[in-house]
């Protein structure tokens, strides 16, 4: 699961950089933030491990 998080995060950053520099693939500017949000959510879910947060 950790590898998946890192792979999605790296792909999101690469897509964001490529989308910002290449006009022809500007659709990557829409894909990159979505992948980045997915990576962050997976990271948070993985870190929590299903445990409840104490009050």
């Amino acid at each position: 699961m950790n590898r998946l998080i890192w792979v999605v995060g790296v792909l999101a950053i690469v897509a964001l950089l490529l989308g910002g520099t290449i006009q022809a693939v500007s659709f990557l500017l829409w894909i990159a933030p979505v992948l980045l949000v997915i990576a962050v959510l997976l990271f948070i879910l993985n870190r929590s491990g299903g445990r409840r947060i104490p009050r």
Side-chain angles (χ1 to χ4, degrees), residues 26-41:
S26 62
F27 71 93
L28 289 176
L29 285 173
W30 292 103
I31 294 173
V34 172
L35 287 176
L36 199 54
V37 167
I38 290 171
V40 169
L41 287 175

Side-chain angles (χ1 to χ4, degrees), residues 10-27:
V10 168
L11 285 176
I13 292 170
V14 168
L16 188 62
L17 291 174
L18 286 176
T21 57
I22 301 172
Q23 280 289 343
V25 288
S26 62
F27 71 93

